[in-house]
Amino acid sequence: REGIDYRHTKNQNGAKVVFKTPNGAEKFWDLSHCLKHARCPIEQGFRDNLSYLLDLRHEIEHRSTNRIDDAVSAKLQACCINFNDAIKSMFGVQYALERRLPIALQFVTFSPDQRAVLKKAGDLPRHIETMMDDFERRLTPEQQIDPRFAYRVFMIHKTANRAPGTDLAVELIPPESDIAEKFSLALKEVEKKKFLPKEIVDTMNAEGWDRFTMHSHTKLWQRLAAKDPAKSYGAVAVGRQWCWYETWLNRVREECQQHPDQYKTLPPA
């Protein structure tokens, strides 16, 4: 859609010739080639993450190693999040994966003693360690701590004292707690950004949905019962004024993308 020819070509007697496979199919760029293109649409942290995983894949090739999970889990988690973010930014929030794959379940747990034994016995093959070290040495400190390159969080195990709390699988550590001081990163609970109805309409208009009006917005939230507290699309803020959260803004954007003929003035045929 960007007008880029992503086939492997060569100039032969002034004409562009496309490389073919032994079976006659056209040869297309691989991911590494795409990442190096000047018009690659993903951000630097995304590219660093994918380049790292590509180098790792090439180093392992078709050999098997079962001692690598701890070393690359942060990069794999970042890759999953980056992939979903790229889908939403380039193709629309209606294709977001969190609607279909919202959580991941782990089927095994280890005691601290078991984990210590596993880590002690889990040295990586030397050639893989070398590849990882060489790659990360080429990154700046800012690139190394970018969550789009490696996504890391700290969690604590807790046994709930009362029944309602037993459904909570993960507890986030309050940043002011004693536990948080022991970590280099704590997840902070932040105030959700709020939007007035006019701000929702103005945002959609600025994005090109010029036929999306306040009336359109009112009809949409009424049809979807968006003020139902269970849907967490918004809340009554200071002054008893209803404000919308960013989740609703994304839902409105999705509605516009799904019905462009209704919310955008289309050019004459």
Side-chain angles (χ1 to χ4, degrees), residues 203-240:
T203 299
M204 291 301 100
N205 292 164
E207 293 181 6
W209 308 105
D210 57 310
R211 295 175 61 187
F212 187 83
T213 64
M214 188 66 74
H215 180 62
S216 306
H217 182 254
T218 301
K219 287 177 61 178
L220 180 61
W221 74 252
Q222 289 176 341
R223 175 166 61 85
L224 299 179
K227 289 190 178 182
D228 181 348
K231 297 186 177 181
S232 299
Y233 279 139
V236 175
V238 178
R240 303 197 63 78

Side-chain angles (χ1 to χ4, degrees), residues 81-252:
I81 295 173
N82 293 345
F83 181 56
N84 193 38
D85 287 346
I87 288 174
K88 291 189 287 187
S89 65
M90 287 189 274
F91 303 105
V93 294
Q94 67 269 32
Y95 298 109
L97 297 179
E98 66 261 25
R99 293 188 166 196
R100 302 167 182 83
L101 303 169
I103 61 172
L105 298 178
Q106 184 167 321
F107 291 93
V108 65
T109 184
F110 299 107
S111 69
D113 290 341
Q114 287 174 307
R115 187 161 179 80
V117 171
L118 286 171
K119 288 181 71 67
K120 185 176 180 180
D123 292 339
L124 290 171
R126 184 60 191 159
H127 65 100
I128 295 179
E129 283 189 345
T130 300
M131 171 258 132
M132 292 177 173
D133 291 342
D134 287 347
F135 188 98
E136 295 198 9
R137 271 198 295 267
R138 297 197 300 268
L139 301 180
T140 65
E142 291 75 17
Q143 287 176 297
Q144 291 187 33
I145 64 173
D146 189 337
R148 293 166 298 187
F149 172 62
Y151 188 85
R152 303 178 179 92
V153 296
F154 292 101
M155 301 177 185
I156 57 172
H157 174 76
K158 181 179 180 181
T159 301
N161 294 324
R162 54 191 178 85
T166 57
D167 286 337
L168 187 63
V170 174
E171 179 176 348
L172 301 184
I173 303 169
E176 68 278 2
S177 69
D178 293 337
I179 298 175
E181 294 179 1
K182 300 178 182 179
F183 297 128
S184 60
L185 171 67
L187 298 182
K188 296 184 179 180
E189 182 178 358
V190 297
E191 180 71 16
K192 290 183 179 180
K193 187 174 182 180
K194 298 180 178 67
F195 300 86
L196 293 171
K198 185 178 185 303
E199 292 176 305
I200 298 286
V201 175
D202 289 346
T203 299
M204 291 301 100
N205 292 164
E207 293 181 6
W209 308 105
D210 57 310
R211 295 175 61 187
F212 187 83
T213 64
M214 188 66 74
H215 180 62
S216 306
H217 182 254
T218 301
K219 287 177 61 178
L220 180 61
W221 74 252
Q222 289 176 341
R223 175 166 61 85
L224 299 179
K227 289 190 178 182
D228 181 348
K231 297 186 177 181
S232 299
Y233 279 139
V236 175
V238 178
R240 303 197 63 78
Q241 168 74 53
W242 181 273
C243 292
W244 298 100
Y245 295 145
E246 196 161 7
T247 50
W248 175 247
L249 178 65
N250 290 334
R251 180 63 184 86
V252 172

Side-chain angles (χ1 to χ4, degrees), residues 10-66:
K10 64 179 179 180
N11 189 299
Q12 185 172 308
N13 299 325
K16 183 165 71 172
V17 177
V18 179
F19 284 98
K20 301 290 183 69
T21 68
N23 293 321
E26 295 180 338
K27 285 188 175 181
F28 298 107
W29 295 352
D30 59 17
L31 179 56
S32 178
H33 194 118
C34 295
L35 293 174
K36 295 174 183 176
H37 193 275
R39 291 174 61 187
C40 177
I42 61 175
E43 300 175 27
Q44 184 63 50
F46 288 34
R47 295 200 296 272
D48 291 338
N49 175 267
L50 285 172
S51 296
Y52 178 95
L53 294 176
L54 281 171
D55 281 3
L56 179 62
R57 184 264 174 198
H58 295 328
E59 189 63 37
I60 295 174
E61 286 294 341
H62 300 294
R63 289 168 288 186
S64 175
T65 176
N66 57 1

